[in-house]
Amino acid sequence: MLENIIYREQFDAVRNVIEKCRNFVVLAHKNPDGDAVGSSLALCLYLRSLGKNARVVLPNRFPEFLSWLPLAGETLFYDAPGSSAADAIENADAFFCLDFNSLSRLGDACSAVAASPATRVLVDHHLSPSDEFDTVVSFPEACSTSELVFRIIAGISGSDALSNEMAQCIYTGMMTDTGAFAYASTRKDIYLIIAELLSKGIDKDLIYRKVFYNYSLSRMRLSGYVLYEKLKLYSKYNAALITLSHDELQRFYAQKGDTEGLVNQALQMKGVRFSCFLREEHPGKINVSLRSVDDFPCNAVAEKYFNGGGHKNASGGELQCTMSMAVNKFMAALQDFKKELTE
Ligand code: 5GP
Ligand code: MN
């Protein structure tokens, strides 16, 4: 039996919104990852199975390795020229806000959603949801938002309502947010849910290959280059740093998603508890990815030094500065958190 982490009143509140509304927009955070996309598509499929109009709207594109997901081809991207994402937002009676805790994580789509009179339902597993939502289903102990979407579908309609396609999306989100069940995944409920997803006929090994064995030759070369030339170990601080400039990304024809996973690789080194990846998206704009193990809270570093946030062991942020200034920030953070990193 699954533990009840979502209260009856929360199921009732979500069910009420679903019953009352007709036009739904499912939203997830900017730079969407496997959990953002998987949870949104699963919920959209569920809403459609109930006869509702539902669309997934994302602030920007997801990485190519997620494009095989059911319904992924119908996703609207807010930043795409000529996209009908803004119309969908304007015509929505209700928003489901998935895998983020504050509307600011919607990037340029934020103001349109904030200005809309439509009901906002949050379903998320980040800490400290903001007060911008009418109904809140927020559980940081969940391994992923996809786990929460499973619980909502099963809790409201029973697991018979879950299709094979929904199960593929949910499994993908749970798998990607836990590094294929390598972290944030010790709760037994996760495996009870997986058993249920398998009973829908999904092929978990195939899903693993579609997501993780999908590199281009240039991605493989980029990975070799990073490990050989760009990975720095700060053993005094149990920390590691990877930087990639805009020029380097261009040299390796890096596509969206090509740098995913590099920040985790640095954690494979013995003794490393904290890993930072600085990616110069454009000259002057640095995207920051942080990962940690055990009790070291990389989200505290993200908040204090990188205008960001996230989970204890996986967080991120961004800086408007040069790469060398960003590296200085990283060094300052190491000094500041030296005690926590080395205790
Ligand atoms: P990634 O390194 O994969 O881009 O991000 C890891 C996690 O960090 C995301 O799932 C999200 O929870 C969090 N995160 C990334 N960027 C930001 C940001 O700019 N602000 C906040 N609040 N969280 C972020
Ligand atoms: Mn997530």
Side-chain angles (χ1 to χ4, degrees):
M1 271 291 279
L2 285 186
E3 208 186 316
N4 284 332
I5 66 171
I6 302 181
Y7 312 116
R8 197 70 255 162
E9 306 81 70
Q10 290 175 303
F11 281 127
D12 291 344
V14 175
R15 187 194 284 116
N16 254 330
V17 173
I18 294 175
E19 278 171 5
K20 278 216 288 274
C21 299
R22 166 133 201 90
N23 298 309
F24 292 84
V25 165
V26 184
L27 300 156
H29 60 78
K30 192 176 155 191
N31 300 326
D33 57 10
D35 186 32
V37 180
S39 60
S40 304
L41 293 172
L43 187 65
C44 186
L45 285 161
Y46 171 62
L47 292 167
R48 287 188 182 189
S49 77
L50 299 175
K52 305 291 178 175
N53 292 326
R55 293 303 297 252
V56 173
V57 172
L58 299 174
N60 58 351
R61 276 206 69 81
F62 48 71
E64 194 274 331
F65 65 78
L66 298 171
S67 59
W68 60 274
L69 280 165
L71 215 64
E74 287 190 37
T75 308
L76 300 175
F77 302 105
Y78 195 80
D79 72 342
S83 152
S84 46
D87 294 338
I89 289 175
E90 202 179 313
N91 295 325
D93 311 322
F95 298 112
F96 272 97
C97 299
L98 266 50
D99 204 34
F100 62 90
N101 56 3
S102 139
L103 289 183
S104 63
R105 295 279 287 134
L106 290 172
D108 291 343
C110 171
S111 47
V113 174
S116 163
T119 306
R120 292 193 281 268
V121 181
L122 177 75
V123 181
D124 181 44
H125 68 134
H126 293 85
L127 290 166
S128 322
S130 73
D131 58 9
E132 299 158 303
F133 307 97
D134 303 297
T135 296
V136 173
V137 179
S138 165
F139 285 93
E141 61 270 47
C143 75
S144 55
T145 300
S146 297
E147 174 186 336
L148 295 174
V149 167
F150 172 89
R151 288 173 179 277
I152 285 173
I153 296 172
I156 291 180
S157 300
S159 46
D160 283 353
L162 199 91
S163 67
N164 170 284
E165 290 190 322
M166 294 174 211
Q168 290 184 52
C169 298
I170 289 169
Y171 185 80
T172 300
M174 292 175 68
M175 179 187 78
T176 51
D177 250 26
T178 57
F181 309 101
Y183 46 81
S185 54
T186 53
R187 287 164 44 251
K188 84 173 187 336
D189 273 13
I190 292 171
Y191 304 94
L192 297 175
I193 293 172
I194 292 173
E196 195 66 44
L197 300 176
L198 290 171
S199 78
K200 301 292 170 181
I202 64 162
D203 183 340
K204 75 176 242 322
D205 300 350
L206 179 62
I207 292 177
Y208 183 94
R209 289 201 304 282
K210 283 180 174 175
V211 171
F212 294 117
Y213 287 10
N214 189 28
Y215 293 159
S216 62
L217 181 60
S218 59
R219 165 61 167 91
M220 294 302 278
R221 300 243 192 272
L222 175 68
S223 173
Y225 172 69
V226 163
L227 295 182
Y228 188 53
E229 297 208 12
K230 303 296 304 189
L231 171 62
K232 283 202 170 135
L233 174 63
Y234 296 84
S235 46
K236 247 180 28 192
Y237 301 91
N238 297 323
L241 173 67
I242 295 168
T243 60
L244 279 176
S245 69
H246 186 63
D247 283 350
E248 287 169 317
L249 290 166
Q250 291 205 314
R251 187 173 141 205
F252 287 93
Y253 310 103
Q255 303 297 309
K256 203 168 181 62
D258 275 359
T259 53
E260 203 117 333
L262 292 173
V263 65
N264 298 81
Q265 258 184 299
L267 285 180
Q268 290 179 316
M269 274 186 295
K270 190 173 177 176
V272 171
R273 300 183 63 214
F274 172 53
S275 159
C276 172
F277 172 41
L278 302 173
R279 190 182 82 230
E280 190 181 35
E281 222 169 73
H282 311 289
K285 176 160 187 276
I286 313 278
N287 201 296
V288 184
S289 281
L290 304 176
R291 298 290 185 275
S292 65
V293 293
D294 302 330
D295 285 340
F296 183 70
C298 66
N299 52 355
V301 181
E303 281 163 27
K304 192 162 174 191
Y305 286 89
F306 298 116
N307 309 311
H311 308 282
K312 184 175 77 177
N313 294 136
S315 50
E318 52 185 55
L319 294 172
Q320 313 283 340
C321 66
T322 64
M323 183 57 89
S324 67
M325 287 158 84
V327 173
N328 288 344
K329 284 233 168 196
F330 168 75
M331 294 307 301
L334 289 192
Q335 283 294 346
D336 190 2
F337 285 85
K338 184 169 183 186
K339 187 166 165 286
E340 293 87 338
L341 283 167
T342 54
E343 71 193 0

